[in-house]
């Protein structure tokens, strides 16, 4: 990714007509000014770290009638600032340690059977909070793809979004090298953030498991739910449709929130804004809570589910598919840190037993 922040800022400052359509929709812009105002500020003060308050959710990009992509400018600005040691925020340290553990020898795991060309990549948050769901998904996918591989690792999107592009590129390239060496062509992901990283930075075919899974099918009507589409897949209409198909097949009726699909809102976790400005992050969650109007929220990102779950009834789609009654009664057990690390460690052993008959070649990640 070649980032010329000055060029991008000039483009936004010239093209943006200050119509305020995006400003009215965005908590960050409504506090700090329009993309044009901020682009002009970045030209005058190249080291401004205001972009770390933007969730990088791309709602502005989705609503702009002039086809401007302010989110891309804010990411470029983060990259520029993060290049200087003084541009790094100590508050992000816990997130970076979490990320680092994800690709450690203890938690990473590549199980690639002979002749396998498709892997399931469940990401970090799902295996930690819901290891049983990873097992459920592997078992269902194996029925269709008998020599499915499984890779437990971190896509390092946190570093990407914090502007640590060199680290992200080193780690992600090393991950891709292992897959390439073993002839992997397709990645099935559970996490919308992993989806974006593989789609934008790999040559591999990428698909979400939601486009592959089948719902058990319910004759019973299970009432109404609403859906939170994660902003990582805001422009992926096929995923939105697949998710709604699964929820309907599970016996639920969907009531859409005002902001959904391409116009979805950030859950509050985006861009790691909460580490610097809790109130701003919480104000996004509050918007979601108001739009949900007391209805059970189903989402398909473990991070969103956790973040929204602090303020409203929010569940992961996989819980709804595999334990519908418990999910709708809010009785599904979801692990929290530090137990999540133990779950991820144990999951390697559980999956090794499931994959054993397929003679999977297993290895941990080595630090590049
Ligand atoms: S990316 Fe999201 S948070 Fe950032 S300016 Fe655009 S709408 Fe606002
Ligand atoms: S919607 Fe587009 S033109 Fe209007 S203020 Fe936002 S970036 Fe500028």
């Amino acid at each position: 990714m070649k980032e010329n922040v000055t060029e991008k800022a000039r483009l936004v400052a010239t093209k943006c007509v200050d119509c305020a359509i995006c400003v009215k929709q965005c908590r960050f812009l409504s506090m700090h000014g329009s993309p044009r105002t901020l682009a002009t500020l970045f030209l005058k003060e190249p080291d401004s770290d205001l972009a770390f308050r933007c969730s990088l959710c791309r709602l502005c990009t989705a609503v702009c009638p002039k086809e401007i992509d302010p989110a891309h400018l804010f990411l470029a600005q983060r990259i520029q600032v993060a290049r200087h040691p003084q541009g790094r925020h100590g508050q992000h340290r816990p997130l970076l340690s979490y990320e680092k553990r994800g690709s450690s020898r203890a938690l990473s795991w590549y199980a690639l059977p002979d002749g396998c060309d498709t892997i399931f990549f469940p990401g970090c948050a799902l295996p930690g909070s819901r290891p049983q769901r990873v097992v459920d998904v592997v078992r269902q996918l194996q029925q269709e793809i008998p020599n499915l591989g499984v890779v437990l690792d971190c896509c390092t999107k946190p570093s990407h979004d914090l502007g640590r592009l060199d680290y992200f590129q080193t780690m992600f390239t090393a991950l891709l090298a292992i897959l390439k060496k073993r002839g992997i062509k397709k990645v099935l992901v559970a996490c919308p953030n992993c989806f974006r990283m593989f789609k934008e930075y790999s040559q591999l075919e990428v698909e979400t498991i939601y486009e592959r899974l089948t719902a058990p099918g319910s004759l019973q009507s299970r009432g109404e739910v609403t859906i939170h589409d994660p902003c990582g897949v805001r422009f992926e209409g096929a995923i939105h449709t697949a998710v709604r198909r699964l929820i309907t097949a599970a016996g639920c009726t969907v009531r859409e929130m005002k902001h959904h699909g391409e116009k979805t809102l950030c859950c509050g976790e985006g861009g790691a804004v909460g580490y610097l400005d809790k109130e701003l992050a919480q104000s996004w969650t509050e918007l979601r809570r108001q739009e949900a109007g007391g209805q059970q929220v189903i989402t398909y990102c473990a991070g969103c589910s956790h973040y929204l779950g602090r303020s409203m009834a929010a569940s992961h789609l996989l819980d709804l598919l595999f334990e519908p009654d418990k999910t709708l009664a809010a009785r599904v057990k979801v692990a929290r840190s530090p137990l999540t690390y133990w779950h991820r460690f144990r999951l390697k052993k559980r999956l090794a037993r499931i994959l054993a008959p397929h003679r999977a070649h297993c290895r941990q990640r080595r630090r590049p």
Side-chain angles (χ1 to χ4, degrees), residues 26 28-29 54-60 71 74 284:
C26 169
F28 163 67
L29 296 176
C54 157
S55 305
L56 303 176
C57 73
R58 301 180 297 165
L59 177 58
C60 47
F74 298 133
W284 281 108

Side-chain angles (χ1 to χ4, degrees), residues 120-196:
F120 172 38
F121 189 93
C124 296
L126 183 71
S129 60
R130 299 164 175 84
Q132 181 55 43
R133 293 293 90 91
V134 176
V135 171
D136 294 336
V137 171
V138 168
R139 288 194 194 283
Q140 195 184 115
L141 290 175
Q142 271 184 329
Q143 290 169 19
E144 196 195 337
I145 313 165
N147 60 350
L148 176 82
V150 180
V151 172
L152 303 178
D153 203 342
C154 176
C155 71
T156 49
K157 184 163 188 284
S159 276
H160 174 274
D161 283 3
L162 292 178
R164 302 169 81 236
L165 203 61
D166 294 343
Y167 181 80
F168 163 75
Q169 276 171 338
T170 306
M171 295 302 286
F172 199 67
T173 306
L175 182 162
L176 292 177
I178 301 173
L179 301 184
K180 199 175 163 200
K181 197 170 164 198
R182 296 286 301 176
I184 303 305
K185 297 194 170 55
K186 182 159 190 164
V187 184
L188 300 174
V189 295
C191 169
N193 291 320
C194 300
F195 178 88
R196 263 194 81 190

Side-chain angles (χ1 to χ4, degrees), residues 69-312:
D69 186 355
H72 202 204
L73 167 64
F74 298 133
L75 176 62
Q77 181 70 15
R78 282 177 173 220
I79 293 167
Q80 159 144 318
V81 174
R83 281 206 177 107
H84 310 293
Q86 68 274 21
R88 298 188 182 156
H89 299 92
Q91 296 96 313
H92 292 138
R93 236 174 260 136
L95 176 62
L96 294 174
S97 315
Y98 170 79
E99 176 191 74
K100 199 170 172 188
R101 279 183 214 124
S103 48
S104 65
R105 280 182 67 77
L107 300 187
S108 68
W109 191 63
Y110 288 67
L112 306 169
D114 286 337
C116 139
D117 67 358
T118 302
I119 59 158
F120 172 38
F121 189 93
C124 296
L126 183 71
S129 60
R130 299 164 175 84
Q132 181 55 43
R133 293 293 90 91
V134 176
V135 171
D136 294 336
V137 171
V138 168
R139 288 194 194 283
Q140 195 184 115
L141 290 175
Q142 271 184 329
Q143 290 169 19
E144 196 195 337
I145 313 165
N147 60 350
L148 176 82
V150 180
V151 172
L152 303 178
D153 203 342
C154 176
C155 71
T156 49
K157 184 163 188 284
S159 276
H160 174 274
D161 283 3
L162 292 178
R164 302 169 81 236
L165 203 61
D166 294 343
Y167 181 80
F168 163 75
Q169 276 171 338
T170 306
M171 295 302 286
F172 199 67
T173 306
L175 182 162
L176 292 177
I178 301 173
L179 301 184
K180 199 175 163 200
K181 197 170 164 198
R182 296 286 301 176
I184 303 305
K185 297 194 170 55
K186 182 159 190 164
V187 184
L188 300 174
V189 295
C191 169
N193 291 320
C194 300
F195 178 88
R196 263 194 81 190
M197 293 302 98
F198 278 101
K199 187 168 176 184
E200 287 182 25
Y201 297 99
S202 84
Q203 308 288 319
L204 301 169
E205 205 185 324
V206 54
E207 194 181 14
T208 64
I209 53 169
Y210 315 109
E211 294 156 277
R212 282 289 184 124
L213 293 177
T214 49
S218 171
L219 298 173
Q220 184 189 345
S221 168
R222 291 202 163 94
E224 208 173 62
V225 296
T226 189
I227 301 175
H228 168 73
D229 293 298
C231 49
V233 289
R234 125 173 2 267
F235 297 111
E236 305 294 337
I239 301 175
H240 306 153
T241 306
V243 163
R244 283 151 179 80
R245 174 183 55 78
L246 287 172
I247 293 175
T248 310
C252 296
T253 313
V254 174
R255 182 188 66 81
E256 295 288 3
M257 285 194 257
K258 182 179 165 202
H259 289 87
H260 63 273
E262 202 171 292
K263 306 276 168 65
T264 191
L265 296 178
C266 173
C267 67
E269 194 179 32
V273 172
Y275 289 87
L276 301 183
D277 190 336
K278 266 199 182 106
E279 239 171 80
L280 175 58
Q282 187 57 37
S283 68
W284 281 108
T285 318
E286 178 54 22
L287 277 182
R288 236 11 182 171
R289 195 187 64 76
Q290 286 168 13
E291 283 197 8
Q295 203 121 42
Q296 168 107 18
V297 178
I298 303 294
T299 187
Y300 40 104
C301 167
C304 293
S305 163
H306 173 66
Y307 218 84
L308 294 175
R310 297 164 169 184
S311 311
M312 65 202 89

